[in-house]
Amino acid sequence: MRDLLAQGAEGKDTLVISYPSDVPSWDPTALTLPIAQSIYATVFDSPLRYTKDLKLGPMQITEWKWLDDKKQRLAITLHDGITFHDGSKMTMEDVKWSLLEHPAENPKLAIRGMFPTLTDVEISSPTQAVLVYKKPTPTAPIFLGFLAAFILPKAYIKKVGMDGFLEKPIGAGPYRIVQYQRGSRLVLEAYDGYWGKKPAVKNVVFLFTPEASSRVALVESKRAGLATDIPIRETERLSKTPGITSEIYPISAMYMIKVPSYVKPFDNDNVRKALHLSIDKQALSKALYAGKAPVLSIVATKGTPAYIDDYAFPYDTKEAIALLVKEGYSVKNPVKIRLLTTNGAFPNDYDMARVLASMWKKVGIDATVEETTAAKVMELSHNQKITGLQLYNWANATGDPDNGAGRILDPRLRFSMWRDESIGGRIDALFSETDEKKRIAGYQALLKEASEKSWVIPLLQGVATIAHDSTLNVELQGNGYVSPRLYSWQK
């Protein structure tokens, strides 16, 4: 381990990455946890991939096209030279099992929610197939480049069982797993049989480092070549440190508060709206993100299809106080709530939770901030056992509202906390709308209503922070992912 940490000037074949979180499971189709995606993509690759400027492009799937105007039959072509880390060839049988059969056998898998209308994969050759949807699904291609869409090795899993796969996972990505210690480290080695461009960095070590201060210390001391999700102030300080390069940059993510409709007092319209009205989002951005995190009034980011340019949710503490008074609450008799937050899953998450609690206290809301892990919150949310608000980072690498409001508010999906069944029908209609103007207009109406009624409370567009050895060439991604396959050490 010592040798791996000391990549330094002598050996440029190893990169140590100080990373805030381990993966919750080695089944990448099980959960849509944004922070796990960098690791999943490194080991498994993906069918399609969004470029650094968020344009959908080919990856394992080289071509895709609709065969009908109703957009229910999508022809796809798989690259002919893909092999898994055991040397077996990837075929359309693996695609069918991963996207259709595996989630059909395990309905709780997140990938089931990503492909709800997929009914068949008609295979015509090892590299040719047609994805068949039970109703028009115009945005189907974007889900092939989104969270949880990974192709797993069917034959290997059938041989060793799912438990065996989780114990010794293999993928078809640019790196294979050499050593893994849960919660401690992941050692990867460039896979010689990778079909795409071979990584310039041969060995990658992910050190799971929950404490932000420890990540800073590791990169500053050069025991890690790169560290992610570090505090904004430290990012700014490190930018002035010789030999260290650091960045703060907006990404395709949204910081928000997810509201559980099945927990009191969040079923109260006035309480929810008061929560939203009393948040000074500009102050949050300025204090915690150097003003570089744009304020959001809806769960869509500027420049994306469903963003509403002329809509702004107000900051109004007087109205918030008045609404709470109607419900019998005041500063002296506050409504008591819980706010669950991670600490280090995204920049300044825990600090933001504390600032939110401070803002709420001024209007008559007493929030207890409880630190937890992303995996634990996801488990509670999936089983409807969460007992408070959740400070959340939603990744939407596509920018499409199907992956924003269409997932966040769908009551049938496990990560949705607002369980209004009537919204499901509205989302279904928008999901199948082939008229793009009508689809976007419908989503804009839903987004605005969700904000007005505070079914979900949008806060800020997400930012990513990164610090690395200045001799490491790093290509920043619009989705904020760490992509070691794209990195190289300067000669």
Side-chain angles (χ1 to χ4, degrees):
M1 180 65 178
R2 186 175 180 179
D3 291 340
L4 287 172
L5 287 174
Q7 79 269 16
E10 295 181 358
K12 295 297 188 181
D13 61 348
T14 297
L15 170 62
V16 176
I17 299 173
S18 181
Y19 203 68
S21 177
D22 195 352
V23 295
S25 165
W26 275 112
D27 182 352
T29 70
L31 299 170
T32 53
L33 193 63
I35 200 165
Q37 300 308 308
S38 294
I39 296 174
Y40 286 154
T42 299
V43 174
F44 297 99
D45 232 357
S46 59
L48 298 179
R49 177 66 54 83
Y50 274 84
T51 62
K52 63 181 180 181
D53 55 353
L54 302 182
K55 304 297 182 183
L56 188 62
M59 201 58 158
Q60 293 169 331
I61 291 175
T62 59
E63 296 179 0
W64 64 99
K65 64 178 180 180
W66 289 108
L67 300 180
D68 62 329
D69 292 337
K70 291 184 177 180
K71 297 187 177 179
Q72 291 181 247
R73 296 179 61 81
L74 182 67
I76 59 172
T77 300
L78 188 67
H79 191 282
D80 192 33
I82 303 175
T83 60
F84 292 105
H85 297 155
D86 64 350
S88 62
K89 194 168 184 177
M90 178 187 288
T91 72
M92 281 298 178
E93 290 293 340
D94 300 294
V95 175
K96 183 174 184 177
W97 187 82
S98 301
L99 302 185
L100 186 64
E101 296 171 354
H102 180 42
E105 294 171 358
N106 302 273
K108 290 186 177 181
L109 294 175
I111 194 170
R112 181 72 178 267
M114 296 295 102
F115 297 90
T117 61
L118 182 64
T119 60
D120 197 6
V121 178
E122 297 176 350
I123 299 174
S124 56
S125 79
T127 60
Q128 300 287 331
V130 175
L131 304 184
V132 182
Y133 298 87
K134 64 183 178 183
K135 61 180 181 179
T137 310
T139 56
I142 71 176
F143 292 99
L144 293 170
F146 192 51
L147 309 177
F150 296 96
I151 309 304
L152 304 183
K154 176 182 178 180
Y156 175 74
I157 293 174
K158 292 296 183 182
K159 178 182 178 180
V160 303
M162 200 62 199
D163 288 341
F165 172 78
L166 296 176
E167 182 68 24
K168 294 184 178 180
I170 64 171
Y175 290 90
R176 67 180 187 89
I177 298 172
V178 174
Q179 188 182 77
Y180 175 62
Q181 295 178 2
R182 175 157 291 283
S184 177
R185 62 173 177 163
L186 170 67
V187 180
L188 303 173
E189 181 183 59
Y191 174 48
D192 289 338
Y194 183 58
W195 65 273
K197 183 179 179 181
K198 304 299 187 292
V201 178
K202 183 178 180 181
N203 303 300
V204 175
V205 181
F206 280 90
L207 290 181
F208 303 125
T209 321
E211 290 293 330
S213 59
S214 296
R215 295 196 294 278
V216 172
L218 283 167
V219 75
E220 192 167 16
S221 65
K222 299 296 182 75
R223 286 178 292 163
L226 183 148
T228 69
D229 298 273
I230 56 180
I232 300 295
R233 288 190 179 89
E234 292 289 357
T235 308
E236 293 179 307
R237 180 181 68 81
L238 289 172
S239 68
K240 303 172 185 177
T241 302
I244 300 291
T245 299
S246 66
E247 303 275 357
I248 304 170
Y249 59 104
I251 59 174
S252 58
M254 298 173 283
Y255 303 153
M256 66 186 67
I257 298 170
K258 293 207 294 184
V259 182
S261 61
Y262 47 88
V263 177
K264 291 185 178 300
F266 308 122
D267 57 344
N268 185 296
D269 294 346
N270 287 332
V271 170
R272 291 196 314 277
K273 191 167 186 179
L275 282 163
H276 198 172
L277 286 166
S278 52
I279 299 172
D280 186 345
K281 299 176 186 179
Q282 290 283 4
L284 283 178
S285 179
K286 184 177 180 180
L288 300 175
Y289 301 100
K292 295 184 180 182
V295 167
L296 298 182
S297 289
I298 58 173
V299 285
T301 57
K302 189 173 183 179
T304 58
Y307 186 78
I308 306 173
D309 289 310
D310 58 354
Y311 174 70
F313 189 89
Y315 165 55
D316 191 334
T317 55
K318 290 184 178 179
E319 185 178 353
I321 291 171
L323 291 173
L324 290 171
V325 168
K326 287 183 180 180
E327 304 303 326
Y329 301 113
S330 65
V331 173
K332 292 184 179 180
N333 180 38
V335 56
K336 297 182 182 296
I337 65 171
R338 299 170 71 193
L339 175 61
L340 305 181
T341 179
T342 49
N343 191 347
F346 62 91
N348 285 345
D349 47 1
Y350 186 75
D351 289 338
M352 192 191 323
R354 294 177 62 187
V355 173
L356 287 167
S358 178
M359 290 178 176
W360 286 332
K361 193 174 185 66
K362 295 176 182 178
V363 300
I365 300 170
D366 186 1
T368 300
V369 175
E370 297 185 15
E371 182 180 339
T372 186
T373 64
K376 183 62 176 178
V377 169
M378 191 69 71
E379 177 188 347
L380 292 171
S381 177
H382 285 187
N383 293 288
Q384 295 191 53
K385 292 183 179 180
I386 204 161
T387 56
L389 300 171
Q390 179 189 1
L391 184 60
Y392 195 72
N393 174 27
W394 181 271
N396 183 1
T398 71
D400 194 275
D402 266 358
N403 283 337
R407 303 296 142 204
I408 297 164
L409 294 172
D410 191 331
R412 297 154 298 188
L413 300 183
R414 294 171 299 134
F415 43 73
S416 173
M417 289 170 59
W418 189 258
R419 302 282 176 163
D420 183 343
E421 296 302 324
S422 67
I423 297 176
R426 294 173 64 180
I427 290 174
D428 281 346
L430 293 171
F431 193 82
S432 300
E433 180 57 69
T434 57
D435 185 318
E436 184 66 2
K437 289 184 178 180
K438 289 182 179 179
R439 188 177 76 90
I440 295 304
Y443 267 120
Q444 287 178 327
L446 177 60
L447 286 163
K448 187 174 181 180
E449 184 176 359
S451 186
E452 293 286 352
K453 295 183 178 179
S454 300
W455 297 333
V456 61
I457 300 176
L459 298 172
L460 304 169
Q461 181 173 343
V463 299
T465 56
I466 192 171
H468 60 86
D469 189 309
S470 294
T471 64
L472 180 69
N473 300 312
V474 174
E475 185 175 308
L476 300 178
Q477 301 298 298
N479 51 26
Y481 292 176
V482 171
S483 299
R485 67 184 180 88
L486 301 175
Y487 303 164
S488 63
W489 291 102
Q490 295 176 17
K491 297 180 180 180

